[in-house]
Amino acid sequence: MKAHGASVTVSDTKSGDELRNEIPVLLDHGITVETGGHGERTFRGQDLIVVSPGVPVDAPPLVQARSLGETVIGEVELAAQFLPGPIVAITGSNGKTTTTTLTGEILTASGFATLVGGNIGTPAISLAERAEPETVIVLEISSFQLETIQTFRPKVAVILNVTPDHLDRHRTFEVYAAAKARIFENQQPDDFAVLNADDPTCVTMAEKTRAQVFWFSRQKEVQQGAWLRDGNIVFRDSAGQRDILQASEIPLKGAHNVENVLAAVCAAALMGCAPEKIRQAVRDFKAVEHRLEYVATINGVDYYNDSKATNVDATVKALESFPANVHLILGGKDKGSPYTVLNDLIRQSVKRIYTIGAAAAKIESQVQGAEIVHAETLENAIRRAQSAAQSGDIVLLAPACASFDQFKSYEHRGKTFKEIVMSLAATKL
């Protein structure tokens, strides 16, 4: 915004010491910086207030700003106003990053000028300077980002699934689902809405869009969209039906990743990608870091990093990928969902549970079906699991919680897991 002539002020509740690395850069660009809280007059008289996704929309300074008639939007809404080409936007409780990354790689392999960003780690606004009118922008979008849109209009909008998540912020599942559905809010009849036909909440959302609805399904044939037929992924639209690839060619572990591929196939086909290009890009795709990522095998025990499993449903999907002999690391910052839904899978496939972090007590009071070890820290959990695991077992970090009690992010947690595991592997050489 500064580059476009705006007078910019950055206001943060963090202290100046916490922001010591960022402040000099901002000041060098002529940006005013306020730290340690938001002054009463900071938001008054501003032409535009752009809020970070991590800030609740009902924060008192924002409520006051709206009451004064000031415009409050999020970074994605701001970015969309500077992105001239078509947008493919992908949201869902789980699978967003894998599907977004895969969709971007399919489009690139198909010859499209493509940029990928959003909640995946590269801010959407940072893509604006590189985007041309023919550039396809693929964005991972969170419910927090969708709360603050106004005119954001994707050409293709995808909702992968909607299961309880972020209830510590959204309070109820209904409010959370409504935030997800906003991805369709500004679409028109020449746009496309892609929905999971196997997800009951997604099915109800089909009524909330003016766009053309396409489905993806792992369980049944759909009228238009992508589905599995005798182990083959098929796509159908008004131009007819095309075979895309065999599900056995998908290089990712877990049934949930078949759904992610179906969604990416549907989005890419709607953007005009040819079946052979889609097939090759899927076959060449590598698992995204921290998503059921194989780390190492030590004494016959496989270690997997699924630090991105930050909610209970993601942990369900991770456990469904392993039939038995799992040593499961659970815990972190609680997000308000019950852990009891894990119990059937725990009985089926988990040998031991190792609890860590702030949510440990709640988890221990709700889960059953396997021995529980109160480990407190990630390193202790890994070492306890290593001592107990036998050849053929799995040690799985799929914590069902946010990371912010002991780590900076789920990436930090996943990297720490990998570093500890690799240090254990090195001692076995």
Side-chain angles (χ1 to χ4, degrees), residues 172-209:
T172 69
F173 177 71
E174 290 72 23
V175 171
Y176 170 63
K180 289 292 190 187
R182 292 197 68 190
I183 198 169
F184 302 138
E185 191 170 286
N186 298 304
Q187 286 191 295
Q188 300 301 319
D190 57 341
D191 298 323
F192 303 103
V194 177
L195 286 159
N196 187 344
D198 304 330
D199 185 298
T201 303
C202 283
V203 171
T204 65
M205 290 178 173
E207 303 171 355
K208 300 178 181 180
T209 179

Side-chain angles (χ1 to χ4, degrees), residues 88-365:
V88 177
I90 297 166
T91 195
S93 301
N94 296 298
K96 296 186 294 296
T97 300
T98 296
T99 308
T100 300
T101 305
L102 176 57
T103 302
E105 293 194 10
I106 295 172
L107 287 162
T108 300
S110 300
F112 288 88
T114 309
L115 293 173
V116 179
N119 194 57
I120 199 170
T122 303
I125 193 66
S126 70
L127 307 179
E129 292 183 0
R130 293 182 283 154
E132 303 292 340
E134 68 277 5
T135 305
V136 181
I137 307 295
V138 185
L139 297 178
E140 176 185 322
I141 304 292
S142 72
S143 60
F144 296 172
Q145 291 169 318
L146 287 167
E147 283 184 310
T148 51
I149 65 168
Q150 290 184 356
T151 63
F152 177 65
R153 177 188 170 186
K155 179 67 180 174
V156 178
V158 181
I159 299 185
L160 298 169
N161 44 62
V162 186
T163 57
D165 195 10
H166 300 298
L167 300 188
D168 52 336
R169 166 138 160 196
H170 292 296
R171 305 290 187 261
T172 69
F173 177 71
E174 290 72 23
V175 171
Y176 170 63
K180 289 292 190 187
R182 292 197 68 190
I183 198 169
F184 302 138
E185 191 170 286
N186 298 304
Q187 286 191 295
Q188 300 301 319
D190 57 341
D191 298 323
F192 303 103
V194 177
L195 286 159
N196 187 344
D198 304 330
D199 185 298
T201 303
C202 283
V203 171
T204 65
M205 290 178 173
E207 303 171 355
K208 300 178 181 180
T209 179
R210 292 183 290 273
Q212 301 171 54
V213 176
F214 279 72
W215 301 96
F216 65 92
S217 174
R218 195 165 49 88
Q219 300 174 4
K220 59 195 173 191
E221 182 174 340
V222 297
Q223 185 174 359
Q224 53 181 12
W227 75 97
L228 270 181
R229 184 184 63 195
D230 299 326
N232 188 46
I233 291 178
V234 180
F235 176 79
R236 180 164 60 202
D237 60 8
S238 59
Q241 187 170 299
R242 282 92 80 192
D243 289 344
I244 307 297
L245 77 156
Q246 292 289 322
S248 59
E249 296 179 272
I250 297 172
L252 304 176
K253 195 173 185 64
H256 62 289
N257 274 318
V258 176
E259 293 184 355
N260 294 337
V261 170
L262 285 164
V265 164
C266 201
L270 290 169
M271 290 301 297
C273 297
E276 61 273 15
K277 297 293 186 181
I278 297 174
R279 178 173 182 252
Q280 192 59 53
V282 172
R283 291 179 66 183
D284 292 343
F285 187 68
K286 302 293 189 295
V288 178
E289 190 177 16
H290 312 302
R291 282 85 176 168
L292 272 185
E293 176 190 13
Y294 168 76
V295 179
T297 299
I298 305 173
N299 293 338
V301 177
D302 293 337
Y303 291 75
Y304 280 86
N305 164 34
D306 199 15
S307 183
K308 186 62 171 66
T310 59
N311 59 52
V312 175
D313 188 62
T315 300
V316 167
K317 289 178 168 58
L319 286 174
E320 287 174 342
S321 303
F322 300 100
N325 303 325
V326 175
H327 295 255
L328 175 64
I329 301 174
L330 286 175
K333 183 178 183 295
D334 183 61
K335 296 169 78 176
S337 297
Y339 300 96
T340 50
V341 297
L342 296 172
N343 288 340
D344 285 345
L345 281 167
I346 288 171
R347 293 187 188 97
Q348 292 171 28
S349 61
V350 176
K351 280 189 171 181
R352 284 185 179 85
I353 295 167
Y354 306 83
T355 61
I356 64 174
K362 179 179 176 181
I363 292 169
E364 290 163 10
S365 71

